[in-house]
Amino acid sequence: MNSPAAQVVRLLTVKGQTLAVAESLTGGLVAAEITAAPGASQAFRGSVTAYATELKHELLGVDATLLSQRGAVDPQVAAEMAAGVRKALGADWGIATTGVAGPEPQDGKPVGTVFVAVDGPSADASGAAGGGKVTALRLNGDRAEIRMESVRSVLALLLEELAGEQTGNERTQDTERNGGF
């Protein structure tokens, strides 16, 4: 099994780090994908499915003014969801999904508008709280396709960040462990 979720679990385990997930449009699919990977219990802390807008504020600490002014489908909301779940569940990394899966537009945003975010230890190396990376997506397809592509995209974003965090020594050890040179 070499799925993106399995790669995430492997990298987190190698680094001794943990992950928490905040989901909206994906409704638990990211957490399901991660927990399907062998060894997930070593790295996965848990998830919050904050489907209702007010739960993004109440459970994840997303700014209420931001939500009322811009709605739930916004890059800053995604960033605050990732940072909020990381803090709430005590994880090294937080990832988040928010967007419009359809069939109707939401908050003036067209179907297929999605934001995925990652928040991790590199973001607060300076001592600042929060931060991270957000990717804006414009996805095509039906509701199921948009949701599954959102899962793939947030895992790919996390993989990029995890790979960027590895030192040369960790990469060497990881390659040797997997039969490389």
Side-chain angles (χ1 to χ4, degrees):
M1 178 180 212
N2 199 23
S3 70
Q7 293 174 42
V8 162
V9 168
R10 183 181 52 76
L11 282 172
L12 288 168
T13 302
V14 164
K15 295 163 71 84
Q17 295 179 333
T18 57
L19 173 66
V21 177
E23 299 187 67
S24 186
L25 86 148
T26 50
L29 293 172
V30 176
E33 193 76 11
I34 291 165
T35 57
S41 61
Q42 294 179 44
F44 186 61
R45 297 275 304 152
S47 65
V48 174
T49 301
Y51 208 69
T53 299
E54 68 272 10
L55 293 180
K56 291 170 181 63
H57 170 68
E58 294 169 8
L59 298 177
L60 300 172
V62 175
D63 184 72
T65 303
L66 173 68
L67 288 167
S68 67
Q69 290 177 348
R70 297 196 209 161
V73 182
D74 181 82
Q76 187 60 38
V77 170
E80 290 188 20
M81 288 172 65
V85 79
R86 179 180 173 215
K87 180 180 177 186
L89 301 186
D92 296 299
W93 294 88
I95 58 175
T97 62
T98 188
V100 185
E104 300 297 322
Q106 176 188 334
D107 297 331
K109 307 287 187 345
V111 172
T113 303
V114 176
F115 298 97
V116 296
V118 61
D119 187 82
S122 62
D124 55 339
S126 65
K133 188 171 182 183
V134 179
T135 299
L137 306 170
R138 184 68 183 97
L139 304 175
N140 295 313
D142 63 20
R143 184 174 174 80
E145 290 167 329
I146 290 168
R147 294 173 76 218
M148 287 313 298
E149 185 56 36
S150 299
V151 172
R152 284 189 288 276
S153 295
V154 77
L155 291 174
L157 180 61
L158 178 58
L159 277 172
E160 281 177 30
E161 295 299 304
L162 286 170
E165 287 292 300
Q166 285 188 315
T167 65
N169 187 42
E170 286 171 324
R171 284 190 183 132
T172 301
Q173 290 173 357
D174 186 51
T175 301
E176 290 171 354
R177 216 176 273 123
N178 287 298
F181 300 100

